Amino acid sequence: MENLILELKEQIIEVLNLEGMTPEDIDENAPLFGDGLGLDSIDALELIVLMEKNYGIKLDDPNKGKVIFTSIKTMAEYIQENRK
Amino acid sequence: MNRLSVKNNTINIISDAIVNSLGFDTDEVLSAIMNMRSGSKSLENFTLSEPTAMLSCIDKEKFNHLIENNHQLNDLKSFTFFEQLMIYVIQNASQKIGLDPADPETLFVFSSTKGNIDLLEKQNLSPDQFERLYIWKSVELITQYFKNPNQAITISNACISGTQAIIKGAEILKSTPFKHVIICGADCISPFVVSGFQSFKALSPDICKPFDLNRTGLNIGEGAGAVVLAKNQEDHISIFSGSVTNDANHISGPSRTGEGLYRALMQSCEDIPKDKISFINAHGTATPYNDEMEAIAFDRFNLAEVPVNSFKANFGHTLGAAGIIETILSARSLENEIILPSMGFDDLGVSIPLTIPKTLIKDSKPYCIKTASGFGGCNAALVLKKGEIV
Amino acid sequence: MKDGVVLFESTNKTDANLFLKEIYKFLELNYLKFFKMDHLSKLGFLAAEFLLKEMPKENLEFMNIYLACSSSSLDSDIEYQKTIRDKESYFPSPSVFVYTLPNIVIGEIAIRFGIHGNNSMFIIPPYQKDEFLKTPNHFFQDTTINPQLSGYLDYLGDHYKAEFILKY
């Protein structure tokens, strides 16, 4: 799980162009949207692409995405349960 | 800055032409909308993103037949489909009024978001082919085809391009010696565009439902439209005013308070008596956010009681052509003293109690408003006016 | 260059991305959205930043923005096409797709400075650049008294250029 969380942080930094951030800067329990990382709707869509590209998980319902993308931790948990 | 016509100097639409999934001239398209028809069909495997896509495509076989058998058109084989569409509607609109597009007192204004973008699918493009990816190159070829000596103007401002091109054309006629402006817009369906909107989860698998409670997204369409503008032709519909603004909020999502559109309405509709506005033809793409934003903007400017319709269920969102095609249909509505039904609407799905016509309505009020919004936060409002009977 | 005076020169002449990042640092910007932008938007954003950073807010609200380019969003179009080209690696990218329109750079500038005025992106052949810059509301004088930001910019592969003018 630790490895997955680190991996996710690195991927998110790259895919979302979070300049100057390192995995140490991201708290896996902190909310991804709203305050904190300040991600927006386009970032949410890119996270959906990331899930499919890197973990083979297809998310068709954007509303489901809201729950899964609450934090890096919730993302990691979902991936562990559903990865192909 | 936005009142385009003053007492003795009206700018009028004297001719028009449309090609889209509903037909090959304005009358055909208008009739289809009056009869609540849609040109949208579900296509399988258009992209790898979804098994089906609801698209509003032009009947290419029929179009090829039309251009091959039109003796007033030279051989168009060297032109791409996108360019052929533009040439066809310009030819159609000009010929109806005996205007020679080569006339040096005629200026072209073009509108497109993606031009020949489908060329990118090809491997190993030659330099000549690569050059056709530049919209200015298509415009140059089309202008040369018509032997028009003036440098054309090309606007590419997302989905407001067509509406803005008409406002620009009217501004030009008002302030220069040009006698006619021909405004032409087109965009074609491609896997590039469809897959992009699919990545935004913005498309509906069914015929879209503008302003409806159960709307789930837009349908992509393709089309071309052309209008000819001239001065002081008072028995024709006039371009009364127009305004373009920016939300300054987000590059893809509309402002939640409808800021940009509200400002555009404020600037273009300042002195217009609200009880003289027949209808608003909205951008109405049937995405959850767009329609709600427009409703809020209309309400902020106290226009909530004016009937609102959208044509996106009839022939999809035609991007760079949308503003032109939809303005033509709005002008024809004013002329015929009707409000066209808003296909796809059943139950109100926005927070403002708008009036959305489900059937054709007779109405003789003189003004109507065309609104448009696009990626990049741009917004446009255009006001048309029917002349008073003297 | 501003008013003919060189404001910033890079020792790195080959990597466009690095060059743009150097300007970002030179301007001491703290605007993380910059790193999500495509090349054309970064280019236009930085050019606007040079001219508008000291502008009072009241001059910005109704400012008009008239820009022209030749390659449209082709640089990003090509990037986006890569994400859909291969059946085996088909992952259309929404963050790239949003920049496959040439006017998004105007949106980025408008968001940064709170600009709500008239705005347009014109597509012109490269040889019309100078003529455009002389009367930017595409060859016709803007009769309003609003401040105006106009410019020609272009970005494709290794070739890029931006010339902006501010009138107020």
Side-chain angles (χ1 to χ4, degrees):
Chain A
M1 184 61 130
E2 279 303 313
N3 281 340
L4 179 56
I5 287 182
L6 178 62
E7 195 177 276
L8 259 181
K9 287 181 183 180
E10 284 166 353
Q11 286 165 3
I12 284 172
I13 287 169
E14 195 193 316
V15 159
L16 304 186
N17 292 308
L18 302 180
E19 179 77 6
M21 285 204 112
T22 64
E24 290 76 48
D25 297 322
I26 305 176
D27 173 3
E28 58 256 30
N29 291 305
L32 284 171
F33 293 86
D35 299 318
L37 290 181
L39 302 187
D40 71 3
S41 52
I42 300 177
D43 296 316
L45 293 166
E46 276 297 342
L47 289 179
I48 293 178
V49 175
L50 186 156
M51 295 287 262
E52 194 184 340
K53 196 171 181 179
N54 299 352
Y55 303 104
I57 299 171
K58 242 192 161 184
L59 278 173
D60 286 317
D61 181 2
N63 288 317
K64 210 171 167 190
K66 279 199 182 106
V67 176
I68 299 164
F69 299 143
T70 304
S71 67
I72 303 254
K73 187 93 192 296
T74 56
M75 273 184 80
E77 282 164 359
Y78 188 83
I79 290 168
Q80 274 220 316
E81 279 168 44
N82 293 285
R83 70 189 301 174
K84 305 205 158 63
Chain B
M1 74 169 279
N2 302 305
R3 190 56 56 80
L4 294 166
S5 64
V6 294
K7 269 191 206 156
N8 298 316
N9 195 17
T10 57
I11 308 293
N12 305 91
I13 300 176
I14 60 170
S15 189
D16 60 49
I18 296 175
V19 172
N20 65 20
S21 62
L22 288 175
F24 299 90
D25 68 58
T26 304
D27 290 333
E28 200 181 344
V29 174
L30 185 63
S31 171
I33 297 176
M34 284 165 76
N35 291 298
M36 304 268 282
R37 287 211 305 274
S38 173
S40 302
K41 291 190 171 59
S42 188
L43 265 70
E44 283 179 10
N45 303 317
F46 189 77
T47 70
L48 293 173
S49 302
E50 306 283 342
T52 65
M54 181 62 73
L55 303 174
S56 228
C57 303
I58 293 167
D59 183 337
K60 286 179 183 59
E61 212 179 297
K62 204 165 170 197
F63 181 68
N64 285 332
H65 184 78
L66 274 173
I67 59 177
E68 273 156 34
N69 293 301
N70 184 328
H71 302 295
Q72 289 173 322
L73 285 172
N74 302 339
D75 182 1
L76 296 186
K77 283 202 188 65
S78 64
F79 292 96
T80 63
F81 177 54
F82 163 70
E83 293 158 1
Q84 290 171 344
L85 283 173
M86 303 249 251
I87 290 172
Y88 184 84
V89 291
I90 291 171
Q91 167 65 26
N92 193 343
S94 308
Q95 167 221 315
K96 277 199 271 202
I97 51 170
L99 174 68
D100 183 357
D103 175 22
E105 289 177 310
T106 295
L107 181 73
F108 282 127
V109 179
F110 288 92
S111 149
S112 181
T113 63
K114 298 312 298 168
N116 286 319
I117 197 64
D118 58 328
L119 285 175
L120 269 188
E121 290 164 34
K122 291 190 158 73
Q123 311 276 24
N124 307 318
L125 287 172
S126 70
D128 276 347
Q129 285 175 312
F130 190 85
E131 212 183 16
R132 295 296 260 282
L133 286 166
Y134 299 124
I135 298 176
W136 63 259
K137 187 64 191 172
S138 293
V139 160
E140 196 177 81
L141 292 168
I142 294 169
T143 314
Q144 279 166 5
Y145 171 89
F146 285 109
K147 300 191 171 62
N148 186 283
N150 302 306
Q151 277 169 0
I153 290 173
T154 306
I155 291 177
S156 192
N157 202 2
C159 307
I160 76 164
S161 298
T163 311
Q164 182 165 37
I166 293 176
I167 296 172
K168 184 105 211 94
E171 280 172 0
I172 287 166
L173 263 189
K174 188 175 172 248
S175 58
T176 68
F178 284 112
K179 291 222 166 71
H180 295 97
V181 177
I182 300 176
I183 300 156
C184 178
D187 263 309
C188 302
I189 287 174
S190 61
F192 183 103
V193 170
V194 176
S195 66
F197 278 99
Q198 284 167 331
S199 78
F200 264 77
K201 311 276 178 221
L203 300 187
S204 168
D206 307 305
I207 292 180
C208 68
K209 301 175 72 56
F211 299 99
D212 189 83
L213 190 60
N214 297 306
R215 66 187 189 277
T216 53
L218 58 94
N219 305 144
I220 301 287
E222 60 188 2
V227 292
V228 182
L229 301 186
K231 283 188 265 238
N232 301 321
Q233 303 291 312
E234 275 102 3
D235 47 344
H236 289 91
I237 302 293
S238 74
I239 309 285
F240 186 77
S241 61
S243 176
V244 172
T245 60
N246 200 290
D247 282 342
N249 178 61
H250 191 270
I251 56 173
S252 62
S255 151
R256 297 296 172 97
T257 58
E259 186 62 27
L261 186 57
Y262 166 64
R263 286 170 181 257
L265 289 167
M266 206 170 46
Q267 287 167 23
S268 55
C269 302
E270 239 179 295
D271 302 329
I272 296 170
K274 296 194 168 73
D275 60 349
K276 292 236 157 53
I277 303 174
S278 179
F279 62 89
I280 303 171
N281 179 249
H283 193 51
T285 53
T287 65
Y289 292 122
N290 174 81
D291 296 1
E292 175 67 13
M293 178 279 288
E294 287 198 279
I296 288 173
F298 299 154
D299 186 49
R300 278 180 73 184
F301 197 63
N302 295 315
L303 290 172
E305 285 175 22
V306 177
V308 174
N309 63 11
S310 164
F311 301 131
K312 300 295 199 287
N314 299 102
F315 51 84
H317 186 359
T318 52
L319 307 177
I324 300 183
I325 295 175
E326 294 168 20
T327 297
I328 291 171
L329 294 166
S330 300
R332 292 296 192 102
S333 297
L334 280 186
E335 246 168 39
N336 292 304
E337 298 187 345
I338 56 174
I339 303 174
L340 290 166
S342 194
M343 188 175 175
F345 179 77
D346 292 305
D347 304 300
L348 188 74
V350 291
S351 63
I352 308 294
L354 299 176
T355 304
I356 316 274
K358 291 187 191 180
T359 56
L360 188 82
I361 298 175
K362 285 211 194 332
D363 187 273
S364 59
K365 298 191 195 71
Y367 294 94
C368 75
I369 305 171
K370 168 75 209 133
T371 60
S373 306
F375 272 14
C378 48
N379 292 274
L382 173 65
V383 180
L384 303 178
K385 185 181 183 208
K386 182 175 176 180
E388 265 114 45
I389 300 166
V390 175
Chain C
M1 296 226 302
K2 184 176 174 178
D3 302 335
V5 173
V6 177
L7 286 168
F8 172 81
E9 200 160 351
S10 173
T11 50
N12 154 52
K13 302 257 190 235
T14 49
D15 187 327
N17 245 331
L18 262 174
F19 177 63
L20 293 172
K21 197 166 168 182
E22 280 178 23
I23 301 179
Y24 176 89
K25 291 202 174 120
F26 172 76
L27 285 166
E28 292 177 348
L29 285 168
N30 183 15
Y31 194 75
L32 295 174
K33 278 196 252 222
F34 178 82
F35 297 98
K36 296 185 193 278
M37 296 180 200
D38 75 334
H39 294 134
L40 186 70
S41 296
K42 281 180 179 166
L43 184 62
F45 178 88
L46 291 171
E49 186 74 27
F50 271 108
L51 293 174
L52 299 181
K53 65 177 193 259
E54 253 121 68
M55 198 97 202
K57 226 173 166 188
E58 53 268 20
N59 284 3
L60 290 168
E61 190 184 343
F62 298 103
M63 179 172 282
N64 296 326
I65 304 177
Y66 303 125
L67 302 183
C69 66
S70 300
S71 308
S72 184
S73 53
L74 199 45
D75 193 79
S76 291
D77 295 350
I78 291 168
E79 278 311 299
Y80 178 75
Q81 183 69 26
K82 288 181 191 163
T83 69
I84 60 171
R85 189 184 48 201
D86 298 319
K87 283 194 186 130
E88 294 79 38
S89 181
Y90 178 88
F91 296 107
S93 167
S95 62
V96 178
F97 182 70
V98 72
Y99 287 100
T100 60
L101 288 167
N103 64 296
I104 304 296
V105 56
I106 296 177
E108 296 288 11
I109 296 170
I111 292 166
R112 168 73 167 156
F113 294 101
I115 299 173
H116 292 284
N118 195 352
N119 58 94
S120 193
M121 175 59 83
F122 299 99
I123 309 292
I124 61 175
Y127 54 80
Q128 278 182 21
K129 167 181 77 84
D130 292 331
E131 197 179 340
F132 176 82
L133 288 172
K134 280 198 215 122
T135 50
N137 186 3
H138 211 296
F139 307 116
F140 301 103
Q141 282 299 350
D142 199 308
T143 52
T144 70
I145 51 166
N146 295 332
Q148 180 175 287
L149 178 70
S150 54
Y152 175 86
L153 72 167
D154 206 75
Y155 199 112
L156 185 61
D158 294 323
H159 298 101
Y160 53 91
K161 161 198 297 249
E163 278 180 56
F164 277 41
I165 299 171
L166 175 64
K167 281 201 183 104
Y168 61 95

